[in-house]
Amino acid sequence: MFGSQRNFKAFEHKVWLSSPTMHGEEMEYIKKAYDTNWMSTLGENINEIEKQVSEKVVMKYGVALSSGTAALHMAVKLAGIKRGDRVFCTDMTFGATVNPVVYEGGIPIFIDTEYDTWNMDPAALEKAFELYPDVKAVVVVHLYGVPCKLDEIKNICEKHGAVLIEDAAESLGATYKGKQTGSFGDIGCISFNGNKIITGSSGGMLLTGDFGDYEKTRKWSTQSRENAPWYQHEELGYNYRMSNVIAGVVRGQLPYLEEHIARKKEIYQRYKDGLKGLPVKMNPYDEKNSEPNFWLSCMILNEDAMCRQVRDDCKALFLPEKEKSCPTEILERLADFNAEGRPIWKPMHMQPIYRGNGFVSVSGDAGADIFDRGLCLPSDIKMTNDEQDIVIDIIRNCFE
Ligand SMILES: *Cc1c(COP(=O)(O)O)cnc(C)c1O
């Protein structure tokens, strides 16, 4: 089986999907925090990254928080979501996009995916507003760093008076019509989790153009203290502020954002060239209007190139077939060679926890289809060209 692959040896060092890429300055800013004793959720590193990120994205205010999830939670609160309120959410995404809606007692309604950018389908969103005209917030994702159809989504939100929350956790530095993702909505959320394009090891940021929202986020994320000599509380509080040590890591990373994007783009392009001739496509984007950050390179198999593959809730099986393959086979082969791929985010409407929630589609179920035929490829900045060429060969072999 898998004949010519016997000629390859497994990678000695694991080839990662996307791991942290450090540059040295991170340590200097961590050390500065230590030497000046700002070992707290206050300090120069925090102030600096709030300034730098809000300037980069071009949103007036940034609040550094403990995670992207915390930023999304604060965003849902700012949107005024209360128990029983429905919120329209991107369906094919990481659970952290939608869980914060539930923290506030809201009910996520999932909007199906379109094939042009693998993001929220504006036609399905329009239909969702017909079905639930009272909805007042939309959470939209730029999946794998590819901007969604922002013009259409923003127009629909404006038409229906809904708050637009951008989950830009994966898309820092990506642009749509020359403008940064995270700056289109009322609120933008970024993640500095360990595998994101810029990392603090953890962390996140909320971006807003509204001073009132900025003040509320700062207050809520530091236990909602009122202006009093003692701990006075009128509102529910959270411990969501970022540490000044973590902010030091982010601060050291930020100068390398464009370099990281350039390398990620090169990886995407090398896959695109290397996989030519196979019955597959790379994850698509609007080449005219958008410039992704290429956080993860993904591919999708043509329908007629799929061997039989079945997935239940927690396991997958496939039947190998000549000249055909499937994500399960490719991911298993990559793992055999010590390389890390990943299935596409399993759509939220297919998750047991959310199976009872609404799901709105105009095209059947594009999310389930992309989940079935797609996968994320090793996209680590530190992967060498030689390693990537072997990854490409491993994939090619799956189709022999
Ligand atoms: C990473 C991620 C988040 C959550 O960010 P954390 O910092 O890990 O809490 C939210 N949404 C998406 C789409 C993500 O990829």
Side-chain angles (χ1 to χ4, degrees):
M1 238 174 160
F2 312 115
S4 53
Q5 275 173 30
R6 261 178 280 119
N7 303 329
F8 303 139
K9 284 210 300 279
F11 294 111
E12 203 170 320
H13 300 287
K14 183 162 180 167
V15 175
W16 296 95
L17 182 76
S18 182
S19 72
T21 302
M22 294 294 128
H23 299 276
E25 280 103 310
E26 297 88 350
M27 270 317 274
E28 290 169 32
Y29 291 119
I30 293 173
K31 187 160 186 309
K32 216 167 153 197
Y34 183 91
D35 290 342
T36 56
N37 207 37
W38 286 100
M39 299 296 282
S40 171
T41 51
L42 291 170
E44 190 189 306
N45 289 333
I46 296 174
N47 301 342
E48 264 306 312
I49 68 161
E50 287 178 343
K51 185 165 159 281
Q52 288 180 21
V53 174
S54 55
E55 277 174 11
K56 169 82 190 176
V57 178
V58 196
M59 276 290 243
K60 206 153 179 201
Y61 308 103
V63 185
L65 298 169
S66 54
S67 67
T69 311
L72 284 154
H73 186 190
M74 296 293 91
V76 168
K77 271 179 78 84
L78 289 172
I81 298 310
K82 300 273 181 321
R83 189 155 297 281
D85 288 347
R86 293 187 180 95
V87 177
F88 295 147
C89 299
T90 290
D91 176 57
M92 196 172 78
T93 182
F94 184 37
T97 304
V98 305
N99 291 336
V101 170
V102 184
Y103 301 167
E104 289 304 305
I107 304 165
I109 304 288
F110 303 113
I111 310 298
D112 198 12
T113 309
E114 38 82 3
Y115 284 99
D116 301 338
T117 75
W118 293 9
N119 285 302
M120 182 186 280
D121 182 354
L125 180 62
E126 190 69 273
K127 180 173 165 190
F129 273 110
E130 283 165 26
L131 295 168
Y132 308 97
D134 55 335
V135 167
K136 49 180 195 275
V138 175
V139 186
V140 78
V141 178
H142 307 293
L143 205 76
Y144 303 129
V146 174
C148 73
K149 295 189 171 177
L150 271 161
D151 275 351
E152 289 96 319
I153 303 270
K154 205 170 147 72
N155 279 339
I156 296 167
C157 288
E158 275 166 11
K159 190 167 118 196
H160 296 277
V163 171
L164 178 60
I165 297 169
E166 269 183 279
D167 177 352
E170 301 179 356
S171 69
L172 181 61
T175 60
Y176 180 81
K177 296 193 172 169
K179 237 180 110 187
Q180 295 277 321
T181 58
S183 70
F184 287 82
D186 300 276
I187 306 156
C189 300
I190 290 167
S191 167
F192 301 114
N193 158 339
N195 69 11
K196 299 286 154 65
I197 197 149
I198 289 291
T199 184
S201 72
S202 68
M205 195 175 290
L206 181 138
L207 295 161
T208 173
D210 184 272
F211 184 67
D213 282 354
Y214 165 72
E215 287 215 302
K216 278 187 214 159
T217 307
R218 287 184 61 109
K219 181 184 171 189
W220 294 338
S221 62
T222 50
Q223 305 291 16
S224 292
R225 291 174 63 182
E226 297 299 327
N227 188 13
W230 44 80
Y231 278 77
Q232 177 81 9
H233 300 295
E234 292 176 12
E235 289 182 285
L236 195 57
Y238 303 84
N239 180 7
Y240 275 175
R241 264 307 240 177
M242 183 187 277
S243 145
N244 192 48
V245 179
I246 298 287
V249 182
V250 177
R251 189 178 177 187
Q253 288 259 290
L254 280 174
Y256 295 92
L257 173 59
E258 293 307 325
E259 188 181 307
H260 285 190
I261 293 174
R263 177 69 190 120
K264 293 274 193 185
K265 182 173 183 174
E266 189 184 7
I267 290 169
Y268 179 96
Q269 204 53 54
R270 291 188 91 258
Y271 275 127
K272 193 171 179 173
D273 296 341
L275 297 171
K276 270 204 185 113
L278 291 182
V280 306
K281 285 184 203 69
M282 296 300 290
N283 55 321
Y285 64 98
D286 177 350
E287 294 183 26
K288 196 165 133 256
N289 293 311
S290 75
E291 187 59 32
N293 71 0
F294 300 94
W295 174 55
L296 293 187
S297 286
C298 306
M299 61 174 241
I300 184 164
L301 284 78
N302 295 350
E303 268 163 75
D304 56 11
M306 285 281 291
C307 66
R308 273 191 288 173
Q309 167 190 250
V310 287
R311 285 165 163 172
D312 74 1
D313 269 348
C314 296
K315 289 189 286 303
L317 272 175
F318 69 95
L319 276 176
E321 206 177 324
K322 219 170 149 31
E323 285 165 23
K324 293 188 178 188
S325 188
C326 63
T328 302
E329 177 176 29
I330 297 168
L331 290 169
E332 285 183 9
R333 288 292 79 72
L334 288 172
D336 289 345
F337 288 94
N338 204 19
E340 185 189 25
R342 191 157 73 183
I344 299 298
W345 295 122
K346 182 171 178 173
M348 289 299 120
H349 79 278
M350 297 169 74
Q351 301 285 358
I353 182 175
Y354 289 125
R355 262 175 207 160
N357 291 52
F359 170 61
V360 184
S361 174
V362 293
S363 63
D365 192 338
D369 179 39
I370 297 170
F371 173 63
D372 193 43
R373 295 191 284 126
L375 68 147
C376 308
L377 301 170
S379 306
D380 196 43
I381 287 172
K382 297 170 295 319
M383 172 170 66
T384 64
N385 287 349
D386 286 347
E387 286 169 336
Q388 191 181 3
D389 289 343
I390 293 171
V391 167
I392 290 167
D393 280 342
I394 293 167
I395 297 168
R396 288 198 157 274
N397 262 273
C398 290
F399 288 91
E400 281 183 358

